[in-house]
Amino acid sequence: MRTTVGIIGAGPAGLLLARLLHNAGIDSVVLESRDRAYVEQRQRAGILEQGTVDVLRAAGAAERMDREGLPHDGIELRFDRRRHRVDFPALTGGRSVLVYAQTEVCKDLIALQLAEGGPLLFEAEAVAVEGAETDRPSVRFRHEGREDVLDCDYVVACDGSWGVGRKAVPADVSQVFERTYPFGWLGILADVAPSHDELVYARHDRGFALLSMRSPSVTRAYLQVPEATNAHDWSDEEIWDELDRRLETADGWKLERGAITSKSVTPMRSYVHEPMRHGRLFLAGDAAHIVPPTGAKGLNLAVGDVVTFARALTHRQKTGSTELLDAYSQTCLRRVWQAERFSYAMTTMLHRAPDATPFDDRIQRAHLDRITASPAAGTDLAEGYTGFPLD
């Protein structure tokens, strides 16, 4: 099998890259180790930055998103039973975000790829990337009970932190920067209308809480819990009671309860792999970087990576110049590190560490007080949340 770009992974990064390349007249093949049902059902991010929304619209992949997505013009910060709204458009010159689940983005892009794009092979497990330092790299993969080879001009690994893409970068050229947090998020989906019309981020002495949504009738919520917590050790009633405590306000706001349909625990980690390119192998999304979910950056960073690659390859096809491809890693990493900084700041501002001291608590409150009192501090948060430029 032969193609211009071999894409490993049919998450939002790989699928969007295939769409962008298709629109630019560049052929690709997408290899995905899981089946279609799994890809379309796995729960991940739900917040799309302004830039991500713009990219999906320009790619012709936004019809259902624009119909069903929930525009959000701000978030609410809660601490000491107080409420403070951060107004995104007022602080950023009109930028906002959209609540639209990653599962739905994947469904839309899969449908487009199967109808209009190049091959998308499910249950095709990439085994190895070979020849990355040559001008004819290849991907060995297993599909339908046999091993095959995909010969490419370029390979883009969108196969996550444990995929074969990152493993193909030699250890002597790799640098890893990471931090593991001593807590995780217990996340739920519940069949009940959201109790607030925007996301609520709460700092509490018992730990962080987040009130979110997936639709007008489905609530998504999270609780900070110790690392290695088993989600099923928490009863539904205990979860709702704890959310009540951490989200409580002085003005009588009420949390609506409903049937919990899903529970899971997400670990918290910051990770960056440098470089994001080795020869003709390019890393994108979780294959190169992971952020704690507090800042809602993961999916959006992946979008930035594949937009950067698609622009660079299109430039190469039109001009013959490899300048933008050669700058891929440096270009992406500037945005990645800003997102890491933002996500780290949000995480440390809102979560209470197991060994937190009274000094740490006061610093968190001072940080939150600064945001509520200073338009400059509020602007920094709003700009980070709505997204850093894709160029």
Side-chain angles (χ1 to χ4, degrees):
M1 187 179 294
R2 182 85 177 84
T3 191
T4 301
V5 181
I7 301 171
I8 308 174
L15 292 166
L16 177 59
L17 176 58
R19 180 65 181 178
L20 296 173
L21 294 175
H22 169 77
N23 289 348
I26 301 171
D27 61 294
S28 69
V29 173
V30 183
L31 305 176
E32 169 55 47
S33 63
R34 302 282 193 163
D35 62 29
R36 180 176 180 178
Y38 179 90
V39 174
E40 293 186 336
Q41 292 171 11
R42 56 187 166 191
Q43 293 294 327
R44 293 291 189 272
I47 303 294
L48 306 185
E49 295 174 354
Q50 181 73 63
T52 297
V53 171
D54 294 343
V55 167
L56 289 169
R57 286 172 177 160
E63 180 181 355
R64 194 164 66 94
M65 178 191 75
D66 283 334
R67 186 172 67 250
E68 299 179 10
L70 305 175
H72 279 209
D73 287 338
I75 59 172
E76 184 172 286
L77 298 175
R78 291 189 187 179
F79 60 105
D80 297 337
R81 303 179 70 211
R82 295 155 52 193
R83 307 169 67 172
H84 174 76
R85 183 173 185 268
V86 180
D87 187 327
F88 293 158
L91 295 168
T92 64
R95 296 173 68 82
S96 60
V97 297
L98 190 76
V99 174
Y100 190 65
Q102 175 175 313
T103 50
E104 307 311 310
V105 173
C106 287
K107 289 175 187 176
D108 297 342
L109 290 170
I110 287 171
L112 284 170
Q113 184 70 9
L114 293 177
E116 303 174 9
L120 165 54
L121 305 182
F122 291 103
E123 299 182 85
E125 180 188 5
V127 176
V129 176
E130 299 175 338
E133 297 176 351
T134 73
D135 60 359
R136 288 292 184 271
S138 62
V139 182
R140 283 194 296 112
F141 67 99
R142 297 189 188 97
H143 184 236
E144 295 181 342
R146 63 185 178 88
E147 190 166 293
D148 205 342
V149 176
L150 176 63
D151 294 311
C152 323
D153 293 333
Y154 306 91
V155 176
V156 181
C158 307
D159 53 341
S161 57
W162 305 110
V164 300
R166 196 177 72 194
K167 295 175 183 176
V169 181
D172 61 351
V173 302
S174 296
Q175 281 188 291
V176 169
F177 307 87
E178 62 184 326
R179 175 183 292 272
T180 301
Y181 299 87
F183 44 74
W185 276 12
L186 169 59
I188 65 164
L189 285 171
D191 287 336
V192 59
S195 301
H196 192 63
D197 56 1
E198 293 178 332
L199 273 68
V200 177
Y201 287 76
R203 187 266 174 209
H204 193 278
D205 287 342
R206 295 176 63 92
F208 168 76
L210 171 59
L211 186 62
S212 182
M213 63 200 68
R214 280 294 178 265
S215 74
S217 61
V218 176
T219 289
R220 183 73 159 152
Y222 301 91
L223 287 169
Q224 177 188 340
V225 293
E227 58 182 334
T229 293
N230 185 330
H232 297 287
D233 288 343
W234 286 67
S235 70
D236 293 4
E237 185 177 6
E238 287 172 329
I239 291 171
W240 287 119
D241 287 347
E242 193 61 25
L243 285 167
D244 253 332
R245 292 186 192 100
R246 299 187 192 184
L247 293 164
E248 183 184 15
T249 65
D251 61 4
W253 173 88
K254 180 177 174 54
L255 175 67
E256 298 298 332
R257 303 187 179 202
I260 294 176
T261 59
S262 173
K263 301 177 191 177
S264 62
V265 172
T266 302
M268 304 285 279
R269 184 181 179 211
S270 298
Y271 176 95
V272 180
H273 179 284
E274 296 187 8
M276 290 177 57
R277 176 196 179 185
H278 177 67
R280 294 214 172 184
L281 167 64
F282 296 77
L283 307 182
D286 284 0
H289 42 72
I290 296 170
V291 290
T294 324
K297 297 290 124 199
L299 179 155
N300 297 289
L301 271 184
V303 169
D305 295 342
V306 298
V307 167
T308 299
F309 177 82
R311 288 174 176 171
L313 185 55
T314 301
H315 180 73
R316 167 73 174 83
Q317 302 285 73
K318 289 181 176 179
T319 68
S321 170
T322 63
E323 178 184 7
L324 297 185
L325 284 171
D326 293 340
Y328 170 82
S329 183
Q330 181 182 6
T331 301
C332 290
L333 284 169
R334 283 197 297 269
R335 190 168 185 268
V336 166
W337 277 112
Q338 285 301 316
E340 291 282 357
R341 173 196 64 81
F342 176 76
S343 298
Y344 174 81
M346 288 283 286
T347 300
T348 54
M349 177 178 71
L350 293 165
H351 293 74
R352 195 170 194 278
D355 59 351
T357 67
F359 179 87
D360 298 326
D361 293 337
R362 292 287 183 163
I363 288 294
Q364 286 184 320
R365 288 185 171 91
H367 196 167
L368 288 160
D369 281 335
R370 175 67 176 167
I371 291 172
T372 65
S374 166
T379 297
D380 184 61
L381 189 156
E383 288 180 344
Y385 201 96
T386 56
F388 301 103
L390 291 176
D391 50 2

